[in-house]
Amino acid sequence: MKKLVQIILLSICFVEAGQAQVLQEAKDLKSSVNQPYVDVSDMDLFPPIFDSNDAGSTAENTPGPIKNFSHSNGKDDSSRLNELIAELTKGGTINIATGNYVFGSVHLKSNIRINFAPGVVVKIPEGKDGFYIGYEPNKPRVENVKFIGLGSISSRPKFILERNGKKITRLMQIGYAYNVLIQNLTIEDHQTKGAAIAFNPVKIGKTTTANRPEKVTVTNVGLTGGSVGYGLAQLNVGQNITLRNLSCEGGVTCRIESHNGRKYDLGTADLRMFNVTNKNGFATVLLQPHSVENGTVTVDGAASYGSAFTAFIVEGFVAKESKRKQVGTFAANSSFKNISMVATDDTATLPFKNLKYLNPELNALYSQPNFKIDNMDVNVEFDAQGLPTSNAPLLGPSVAAIYTSAVSYQPLFPALKEISLEGKIMHREKILRKPKAK
């Protein structure tokens, strides 16, 4: 009888303990819901943590002379800065003083560290790339470059991408480069064409091969005003790349797409994304391999706030210029974890061509047939019938934390219970694996 009582009491204890755990988990969940958006690019809140895969940290000194650079009224900032960089034949440090500048087509060379003081404001003219790192064809690889913003999130340098039309305008292009660190910047985009930081191939002579960037770290960079088809960073090619503490409002934060690498059969490998977010845009991470066999992609910490998707993972396609005539892939050990979404009904932007990926119940929130259009975006166009064209951005609801239609490759996803979905969750999915019939 005593043993029976002990067993009953022990069972009650287990039940109470289980209930207490459930209650605590409910309290923890309730406390996490509707937390204010936090900019993960803020170095005071999310300092970069460098490991052996990363490009050199800011604590390392750059050998060579130290030069100061400031705006000179009536003179071209770009040509003067290019001249100063050319003078540093063995490398050195350039300190950009607080002030307003215009930079376009500045070529950074090996062993150059460029520091931008707090309060620096740089305008990139429409149709220009502000900076190039290893983007001149048939030149030696550019190595050991640091592009550093100084100051807090409110005072760090701001780069403004000007727009007065539909020309491609970027902060920078990275090509045949090794050991590059980009850190602590604010980018003010105006829904321009082109990703702000683009990783692109650099053709080798008259051959059909090209070089790509290697060992590049982009950390603590925030962008506002991203276009639905572009955004903060686009990796067409690249090996051993780290994207950490990146925030993007609009567009796509990390677009991994073997677009202009497919004509060389050159893509990406060893990519890592940590603590990346998207707000009121299309997606935080996008994967599309096209015709290239890409290597591993690792995503650890991706969140969206009022965007259409956190992760958007789709098949590539074989184009006429594709060197490899098969559908592309990412490595089988590619993985996602720590994925979250705060869903809304009316702040996400979605290219019209992707409307087919919605759960049918969400169609009404996209106001069919009288769609709400983000008319400020560079992609806004209408066909002869007055319907939005394929890339025109629709304004509407969040759709899914993870969407995947990939068949040729299938990354490892977290269990459903490990994906956080909050906010307007009705008809939203943690993982939406294929379009539902309309």
Side-chain angles (χ1 to χ4, degrees):
M1 183 65 180
K2 185 182 291 186
K3 287 185 178 179
L4 180 59
V5 171
Q6 288 175 339
I7 291 171
I8 293 171
L9 290 173
L10 189 60
S11 299
I12 292 172
C13 290
F14 276 127
V15 170
E16 289 180 345
Q19 289 176 336
Q21 181 178 354
V22 170
L23 287 172
Q24 185 59 50
E25 289 176 353
K27 288 179 181 178
D28 291 343
L29 178 61
K30 185 176 180 181
S31 66
S32 68
V33 174
N34 296 325
Q35 289 293 319
Y37 172 75
V38 176
D39 192 336
V40 300
S41 72
D42 187 339
M43 285 188 65
D44 291 335
L45 299 177
F46 302 95
I49 302 171
F50 297 96
D51 59 36
S52 59
N53 293 313
D54 287 279
S57 75
T58 56
E60 298 174 352
N61 294 320
T62 299
I66 298 174
K67 300 288 186 179
N68 296 320
F69 186 93
S70 59
H71 176 65
S72 180
N73 290 332
K75 293 190 177 180
D76 187 332
D77 297 325
S78 306
S79 60
R80 291 173 51 243
L81 185 54
N82 273 322
E83 289 169 5
L84 180 56
I85 292 170
E87 291 174 12
L88 299 173
T89 55
K90 294 184 179 181
T93 298
I94 299 174
N95 294 320
I96 308 292
T98 300
N100 298 323
Y101 300 84
V102 176
F103 288 130
S105 303
V106 174
H107 289 266
L108 300 179
K109 307 297 185 182
S110 290
N111 304 309
I112 292 290
R113 173 175 176 147
I114 184 165
N115 296 324
F116 296 87
V120 163
V121 176
V122 176
K123 290 186 177 180
I124 311 297
E126 180 206 6
K128 290 277 190 178
D129 296 312
F131 299 86
Y132 295 108
I133 305 177
Y135 206 63
E136 294 180 276
N138 304 314
K139 297 284 186 180
R141 184 168 71 175
V142 173
E143 301 180 348
N144 309 321
V145 173
K146 293 177 184 155
F147 192 93
I148 308 297
L150 304 177
S152 67
I153 193 169
S154 60
S155 67
R156 70 188 183 188
K158 178 189 291 185
F159 296 82
I160 301 172
L161 306 183
E162 295 192 310
R163 175 184 165 194
N164 189 27
K166 295 194 174 185
K167 295 179 180 178
I168 295 175
T169 308
R170 301 185 182 96
L171 170 60
M172 69 172 60
Q173 289 200 64
I174 305 172
Y176 189 31
Y178 176 84
N179 197 39
V180 175
L181 174 63
I182 300 161
Q183 180 175 286
N184 196 35
L185 316 171
T186 294
I187 304 169
E188 181 184 304
D189 202 348
H190 292 95
Q191 295 178 293
T192 57
K193 191 174 182 179
I197 301 175
F199 292 67
N200 283 321
V202 178
K203 189 176 180 181
I204 303 170
K206 296 182 179 179
T207 66
T208 57
T209 58
N211 290 310
R212 64 182 177 180
E214 184 177 352
K215 197 173 185 182
V216 179
T217 297
V218 181
T219 184
N220 295 90
V221 175
L223 180 143
T224 59
S227 165
V228 69
Y230 306 100
L232 202 165
Q234 177 159 346
L235 277 73
N236 293 288
V237 295
Q239 181 173 0
N240 191 9
I241 311 296
T242 301
L243 305 176
R244 180 187 282 112
N245 298 345
L246 305 184
S247 66
C248 182
E249 294 187 27
V252 179
T253 310
C254 306
R255 189 182 188 101
I256 316 303
E257 181 181 10
S258 307
H259 181 74
N260 56 20
R262 62 193 176 200
K263 60 185 176 182
Y264 307 110
D265 192 21
L266 189 65
T268 61
D270 306 318
L271 307 186
R272 295 166 299 280
M273 283 159 269
F274 304 113
N275 198 29
V276 292
T277 66
N278 189 272
K279 182 180 179 181
N280 299 346
F282 177 28
T284 308
V285 177
L286 181 150
L287 300 186
Q288 191 168 27
H290 293 305
S291 56
V292 178
E293 290 185 292
N294 296 272
T296 303
V297 172
T298 301
V299 179
D300 185 354
S304 65
Y305 301 84
S307 303
F309 306 94
T310 302
F312 187 75
I313 300 161
V314 290
E315 287 282 282
F317 56 83
V318 179
K320 289 182 179 180
E321 69 271 21
S322 294
K323 186 175 181 180
R324 179 177 177 268
K325 301 302 182 182
Q326 299 178 53
V327 175
T329 62
F330 287 95
N333 62 343
S334 296
S335 63
F336 288 74
K337 66 179 181 178
N338 294 317
I339 306 301
S340 65
M341 165 177 270
V342 177
T344 63
D345 282 345
D346 54 7
T347 63
T349 53
L350 184 77
F352 180 74
K353 64 184 177 183
N354 294 326
L355 192 65
K356 60 188 177 183
Y357 300 130
L358 297 178
N359 280 341
E361 296 84 356
L362 297 178
N363 286 335
L365 293 176
Y366 271 107
S367 304
Q368 293 194 51
N370 300 314
F371 297 104
K372 296 177 182 176
I373 307 291
D374 183 359
N375 288 304
M376 298 301 294
D377 197 285
V378 71
N379 290 289
V380 174
E381 288 182 354
F382 298 90
D383 63 18
Q385 286 72 44
L387 289 174
T389 54
S390 61
N391 289 315
L394 309 181
L395 289 168
S398 305
V399 181
I402 297 175
Y403 171 80
T404 178
S405 64
V407 176
S408 301
Y409 67 101
Q410 298 183 30
L412 303 172
F413 296 140
L416 290 179
K417 65 181 180 181
E418 296 172 348
I419 299 173
S420 174
L421 178 59
E422 302 178 359
K424 301 287 188 177
I425 63 174
M426 185 174 292
H427 305 309
R428 274 62 166 197
E429 306 274 356
K430 289 186 174 181
I431 301 179
L432 182 59
R433 294 191 178 274
K434 59 183 180 180
K436 291 190 175 183
K438 295 186 178 181

